[in-house]
Amino acid sequence: MDEVIQVTLWLSSITPRKKAKLFFFTTHADAPSPMVGSNDVDTHEETQLPLATTVALHNFKNIDEFLKKKVNTFSCYNVIENEITKTDYEYLRFYSACKYLDVVPPFLDLEKISAIQNKFEMTDEERDYRLLLDSADLVLEKVCDSLKPAGVSQMWTALRKDRNLIRGVKTIDIIGFFVDPNPTGIKECLFFFIVRFLQKADKINRVNTNRLERLIAQCDESSSCEEGKTIDFIIDSLRFYPTELYPFGFCLIMCVIEGRDGAMQEIEKTMEISGHLGMITHTEKNPTKETIELVKKELMKPKYQFYSSFTCWFMSHGDSNSMVLADGETIEREWFLTSFPDISTFQLKPKVFFMVSCRGANKFSLKGDEFEGQSATCDYYDIGSALIRNRMLDITDSVRDISYVQPMMDTLVAYSTILDHLSGRANTHGSIYVDRACVLMSENISRGRSLTEILEHLSQDLHEILQETMDEDRIVYKQACHYDSFFRKTLKLPYTRHPKEDVHSAPQ
């Protein structure tokens, strides 16, 4: 069959709503490496004009032409070995969006997809189409689905009132002031236009969504929300880090085994919980400084920009400032923590570090006969009210900026113990902190809990456990853990528990 006829038949089989979503997902950021301050949207012509004309004319002709052009480009594209191009990104985004929406063209060359994935050095687990979808766009899709056409129309009216923001933007004038978003697919096109416009204007990104939240907050709840949804529910969905679908993120486990009883148990537990959470995992046993540098270099490869979060477990001996590596050398804990968050592939994404080591020799000792022989170390195992806002500073958009981000932002560091104190271990099961953290995370998958809620529960749980030193003094003591957070959103655990056999290991 002629290719033109094939493309025409394919487009005719797609509903207007799915066309709007396919356009939205396909025009996501295609830059090879998302740098802080970079523009995360494509050109004005490609991302906004087709949406604007579709809304104004109630006609999907321009979006159809855009999709035809994409298909033709991919059909003629020759995959060049070793060099990753913008078209490579576009091809993967297009394929994953089609797969997600169940509209994969029967004539799409899947061998080219495989060849592009080879260039990205993707493992079998990383070739899952869900990895290639942008989780932030999936959240925005759900927001759109929660709004009625009237709600999106009210957002548009509120946006049009911001004269400073829309001044001189031709696509705004193409749509006009009054819009009928009721025809099928037009609501989606208008909403996605608003989103891409705010992104292009550097008003929102995957972390900073306040400007979009303010537009939604101005909607009338009775006429703007789909059944079962509320304005608060919709806004709250934007307050979480976007980690939709599988995988939940990339997990790096570094564990010094030499001289640490139970270290293999720590690795098994952290691998198991990362698998249940739906993470793709890589383990480094007995890391050295050279190992750490190689891992950092690996994480800078383009494929890691597709991950929506990063988690690192680092388990070793240590003192107040340093951690002991497998070869006996030490590294400064602060150096380790500040070098990873600056990796560009994970910027604007949540980064969690579990630092499991002693930070000194002090103990919160418990004295008295009742504590003798008792220890676990032996193998017992809103948008605020208007009234308040009227009394506060008026922070205008002119003094807000989302382009430049301090590297440690969106990072959380969880410590197994407080400064200058011991981090306890069981004789054969390793770190008690690791054990309790994995248990609590496993128990709370599918319950809608956030990571910080789990860490607060962990702090309570761990501090109830009596531990005992392994020297001749056999001192009974308690351990206190804590965390430092630079998060700007809430990180929720996934709603789906993945089976144990889903524990994946990505090669270095």
Side-chain angles (χ1 to χ4, degrees), residues 188-300:
E188 285 76 16
C189 286
L190 181 59
F191 180 82
F192 295 146
F193 175 88
I194 292 171
V195 166
R196 292 294 187 237
F197 170 74
L198 291 174
Q199 289 172 335
K200 182 175 177 60
D202 262 343
K203 297 301 180 184
I204 65 171
N205 55 33
R206 63 184 299 119
V207 172
N208 302 89
T209 55
N210 287 336
R211 192 66 183 84
L212 183 62
E213 292 172 27
R214 281 152 52 193
L215 289 179
I216 296 171
Q218 295 180 60
C219 295
D220 172 57
E221 187 163 277
S222 61
S223 61
S224 62
C225 300
E226 292 288 354
E227 186 176 353
K229 309 297 184 184
T230 65
I231 293 296
D232 286 343
F233 172 85
I234 295 170
I235 291 176
D236 282 346
S237 69
L238 290 166
R239 301 269 170 89
F240 303 110
Y241 281 108
T243 52
E244 302 293 301
L245 292 183
Y246 168 90
F248 182 65
F250 183 80
C251 180
L252 171 65
I253 299 171
M254 290 186 165
C255 183
V256 176
I257 298 173
E258 301 298 328
R260 297 182 66 249
D261 293 338
M264 291 305 298
Q265 286 282 330
E266 295 170 353
I267 293 174
E268 289 179 16
K269 291 171 186 176
T270 50
M271 283 192 68
E272 182 173 13
I273 190 59
S274 68
H276 286 324
L277 291 170
M279 292 183 171
I280 292 177
T281 305
H282 176 66
T283 301
E284 285 287 351
K285 299 175 184 176
N286 288 324
T288 62
K289 192 163 186 178
E290 181 182 7
T291 306
I292 295 171
E293 291 295 343
L294 288 173
V295 169
K296 285 168 56 181
K297 185 177 180 180
E298 165 71 17
L299 293 174
M300 295 175 71

Side-chain angles (χ1 to χ4, degrees), residues 20-299:
K21 291 183 177 185
L22 181 56
F23 179 89
F24 178 64
F25 292 140
T26 304
T27 55
H28 175 74
D30 291 318
S33 56
M35 302 298 292
V36 173
S38 67
N39 195 334
D40 265 3
V41 296
D42 210 333
T43 64
H44 165 81
E45 290 291 326
E46 287 227 317
T47 62
Q48 293 182 276
L49 188 57
L51 289 171
T53 55
T54 302
V55 172
L57 303 175
H58 291 182
N59 186 314
F60 277 77
K61 178 182 177 182
N62 284 341
I63 287 182
D64 284 350
E65 289 299 319
F66 170 87
L67 295 175
K68 284 181 183 178
K69 181 180 176 183
K70 285 290 181 188
V71 170
N72 290 334
T73 299
F74 299 149
S75 177
C76 301
Y77 180 57
N78 293 317
V79 181
I80 304 170
E81 291 186 9
N82 301 325
E83 181 184 346
I84 294 176
T85 67
K86 181 179 177 181
T87 304
D88 291 328
Y89 282 87
E90 291 177 343
Y91 209 144
L92 292 182
R93 294 290 189 195
F94 180 77
Y95 165 71
S96 63
C98 289
K99 187 82 172 173
Y100 173 71
L101 296 169
D102 196 22
V103 294
V104 177
F107 49 83
L108 194 66
D109 191 341
L110 298 183
E111 289 187 3
K112 287 185 181 179
I113 297 291
S114 181
I116 294 171
Q117 290 170 329
N118 289 340
K119 289 168 64 175
F120 278 89
E121 301 177 29
M122 288 183 172
T123 64
D124 289 343
E125 293 81 16
E126 291 170 330
R127 290 169 190 253
D128 190 312
Y129 78 92
R130 293 171 294 180
L131 173 66
L132 305 175
L133 290 163
D134 184 77
S135 54
D137 281 351
L138 294 175
V139 170
L140 293 166
E141 179 207 17
K142 289 184 178 180
V143 170
C144 181
D145 290 345
S146 299
L147 290 167
K148 290 181 177 179
V152 179
S153 180
Q154 291 167 31
M155 290 176 61
W156 177 248
T157 300
L159 179 67
R160 286 294 305 252
K161 291 178 180 178
D162 190 337
R163 297 295 181 187
N164 291 329
L165 184 60
I166 68 172
R167 185 179 292 115
V169 181
K170 293 180 180 179
T171 45
I172 297 283
D173 295 329
I174 289 174
I175 296 176
F177 199 93
F178 298 103
V179 176
D180 177 12
N182 288 293
T184 305
I186 300 303
K187 176 195 82 170
E188 285 76 16
C189 286
L190 181 59
F191 180 82
F192 295 146
F193 175 88
I194 292 171
V195 166
R196 292 294 187 237
F197 170 74
L198 291 174
Q199 289 172 335
K200 182 175 177 60
D202 262 343
K203 297 301 180 184
I204 65 171
N205 55 33
R206 63 184 299 119
V207 172
N208 302 89
T209 55
N210 287 336
R211 192 66 183 84
L212 183 62
E213 292 172 27
R214 281 152 52 193
L215 289 179
I216 296 171
Q218 295 180 60
C219 295
D220 172 57
E221 187 163 277
S222 61
S223 61
S224 62
C225 300
E226 292 288 354
E227 186 176 353
K229 309 297 184 184
T230 65
I231 293 296
D232 286 343
F233 172 85
I234 295 170
I235 291 176
D236 282 346
S237 69
L238 290 166
R239 301 269 170 89
F240 303 110
Y241 281 108
T243 52
E244 302 293 301
L245 292 183
Y246 168 90
F248 182 65
F250 183 80
C251 180
L252 171 65
I253 299 171
M254 290 186 165
C255 183
V256 176
I257 298 173
E258 301 298 328
R260 297 182 66 249
D261 293 338
M264 291 305 298
Q265 286 282 330
E266 295 170 353
I267 293 174
E268 289 179 16
K269 291 171 186 176
T270 50
M271 283 192 68
E272 182 173 13
I273 190 59
S274 68
H276 286 324
L277 291 170
M279 292 183 171
I280 292 177
T281 305
H282 176 66
T283 301
E284 285 287 351
K285 299 175 184 176
N286 288 324
T288 62
K289 192 163 186 178
E290 181 182 7
T291 306
I292 295 171
E293 291 295 343
L294 288 173
V295 169
K296 285 168 56 181
K297 185 177 180 180
E298 165 71 17
L299 293 174

